[in-house]
Amino acid sequence: MTQLQPVQLAEFYTWAGTEGNRRRKSGLSTRTVLHIHRLLRRALQQAVLWQLRPTNPADAVQAPRPPDIEMKPVEEERAGELILSAEGTEMFLPILTALCTGMRRGEILAIRWSDLDLEHSRLTVNQSVSQTRKQGVFSKSPKKKKSRRTITLPAILMDAIRERQKEQQRHKELFGPDYQGLDLVFAMPDGTPWAPDRFTDAYTAFARSRNAVGIRFHDLRHTHASELLRRGTPLKTVAARLGHANATVTLNTYAHVMSGDDEQAADLVGDFLQKQMAKQRKKEPK
C-alpha cells in the first residue's frame, strides 16, 4: 500500500474498463470503475489520516466519467405488446410489476409476501437483491431512506400477484419439505432466490424471442415515470414511487418528458386572463 503510485491506479482503471468483467469477458462499465475509484480513494485517504502514507495517490488520477445513459421509455403501444407477449411466461409478472411500480430489478426480485398488503393493494419496498462472486445472491436494505417506500398497486397487478400466489402454493405442494421457504414472491420453483444475473439472462432471451431486443428491463422503470408525468401526476408523487432522494433527481432525469408542460402552462395562463378580461368588460358601463 505504501508503494502504490498514481500510474498504477490509472493502469488498473484501464484494465478494469477493458477486461475487468470476467463473467462476460469484457470491460466493466465506466460507472462501475468510477465506484471502484471512489472506494479506493476513501480507503487511501484513511491511510493518509493514519499517517501510513504521506499523500493519496487516487487524488492524482482523473476519475473515470460515465457517459450519460440514454433514457428510453417504451412507447405505449409497444408496452402493451410486450405485456401481451409475456402472458403465460415467467416474465409476465416481473414486466408488469416494473411497468406498474417503476421498481428496480433488485427491488422486484426481493419482494416478499410479508411486504405486500393484499387487502389495501400496497407494497412496501424494504430490501433489494444483489449478487457478487464472493457472496453469491443476498438481500440488503436500501442505502437511502427514500428507497424504502410504500407503493399503491393497480388492480391489474394485484390480480396477477394473486395468480402468482396460487402458482407458488402448487410449487410448495410439489416440492414438499425440499421447498425453500424464504417468503419471496419472485422465487424459483423450489423457493430459492431468482439470481439477478440469471434473471437478466432470462429477460434478454425473452426480449430476443419477442423481437424486443432494444427494450432493456430498466427501460420499464423509465416508462412508468414518463407515463405518469405525461398524464399530469405531481412530480413529488412520481419521485416517491421511484424512491428518489428528492424531486430534483426526478426532474433532472425526466425534464425532457415535461418539456411540454411549459407550453401548457402558457395556454392556461392565457386562457385565464382572457376569461377575466372578458368578464370585466361585461361589467363596464355602456
Side-chain angles (χ1 to χ4, degrees), residues 7-8 12 22 37 43 47 72 141 145 148 161 182 210 212 215 219 227 230 237 246 253-254 264 266 271:
V7 65
Q8 293 172 301
F12 168 68
R22 295 181 179 179
H37 167 77
K72 299 189 297 184
S141 299
K145 291 182 179 180
R148 301 187 68 172
I161 288 174
L182 301 177
R210 299 302 194 276
I215 301 178
D219 292 335
E227 292 303 324
R230 285 195 182 104
T237 300
N246 53 64
T253 306
Y254 300 98
Q264 184 180 6
D271 291 343

Side-chain angles (χ1 to χ4, degrees), residues 12-282:
F12 168 68
Y13 295 156
T14 300
W15 171 85
T18 54
E19 305 176 44
N21 191 329
R22 295 181 179 179
R23 179 175 178 269
R24 300 185 183 278
K25 296 181 180 179
S26 61
L28 296 172
S29 69
T30 309
R31 191 170 297 278
T32 300
V33 178
L34 177 59
H35 289 327
I36 293 172
H37 167 77
R38 288 172 175 170
L39 180 62
L40 283 173
R41 186 176 179 279
R42 288 179 62 185
L44 291 167
Q45 188 59 37
Q46 189 62 49
V48 173
L49 293 175
W50 286 343
Q51 298 182 7
L52 298 175
R53 285 191 58 99
T55 60
N56 187 339
D59 287 340
V61 181
Q62 184 174 1
R65 293 188 175 182
D68 293 332
I69 298 176
E70 183 183 0
M71 190 195 67
K72 299 189 297 184
V74 184
E75 295 176 358
E76 291 182 48
E77 185 175 346
R78 205 169 182 200
E81 292 174 352
L82 185 68
I83 294 175
L84 286 176
S85 67
E87 281 190 323
T89 73
E90 63 180 1
M91 279 295 133
F92 176 68
L93 187 54
I95 289 173
L96 186 62
T97 302
L99 286 170
C100 289
T101 67
M103 293 171 66
R104 304 172 180 89
R105 177 193 66 173
E107 293 172 338
I108 291 174
L109 297 180
I111 297 174
R112 297 166 297 188
W113 290 107
S114 58
D115 298 325
L116 285 162
D117 181 348
L118 298 179
E119 182 179 354
H120 299 97
S121 302
R122 291 174 185 162
L123 164 65
T124 300
V125 182
N126 284 313
Q127 61 181 7
S128 179
V129 168
S130 295
Q131 182 175 10
T132 64
R133 181 183 293 266
K134 184 177 181 180
Q135 295 177 272
V137 180
F138 63 96
S139 298
K140 62 179 182 179
S141 299
K143 293 181 180 179
K144 299 178 180 178
K145 291 182 179 180
K146 287 288 186 179
S147 292
R148 301 187 68 172
R149 58 203 188 275
T150 298
I151 302 171
T152 301
L153 309 180
I156 185 176
L157 179 56
M158 290 304 303
D159 291 341
I161 288 174
R162 291 189 178 94
E163 287 300 316
R164 172 61 177 164
Q165 194 174 34
K166 296 176 183 177
E167 179 187 33
Q168 196 172 87
Q169 184 58 40
R170 291 193 291 270
H171 290 162
K172 290 179 180 179
E173 294 172 359
L174 178 64
F175 282 89
D178 294 328
Y179 186 85
Q180 302 296 312
L182 301 177
D183 197 37
L184 293 171
V185 175
F186 293 95
M188 302 302 291
D190 64 352
T192 54
W194 198 346
D197 287 346
R198 187 172 180 178
F199 173 84
T200 297
D201 290 341
Y203 175 79
T204 301
F206 165 80
R208 189 181 298 116
S209 69
R210 299 302 194 276
N211 195 28
V213 177
I215 301 178
R216 303 167 299 185
F217 188 76
H218 197 71
D219 292 335
L220 307 183
R221 172 175 166 84
H222 294 318
T223 303
H224 175 79
S226 299
E227 292 303 324
L228 288 181
L229 291 170
R230 285 195 182 104
R231 286 164 171 73
T233 305
L235 181 63
K236 187 176 181 180
T237 300
V238 177
R241 289 183 70 85
L242 295 177
H244 284 164
N246 53 64
T248 302
V249 177
T250 312
L251 180 61
N252 291 338
T253 306
Y254 300 98
H256 69 286
V257 176
M258 304 170 68
S259 59
D261 290 353
D262 189 55
E263 296 173 5
Q264 184 180 6
D267 292 338
L268 288 172
V269 172
D271 291 343
F272 161 74
L273 291 175
Q274 284 182 343
K275 288 179 181 178
Q276 291 304 314
M277 290 169 67
K279 194 174 181 180
Q280 292 303 317
R281 285 194 184 102
K282 289 181 180 180

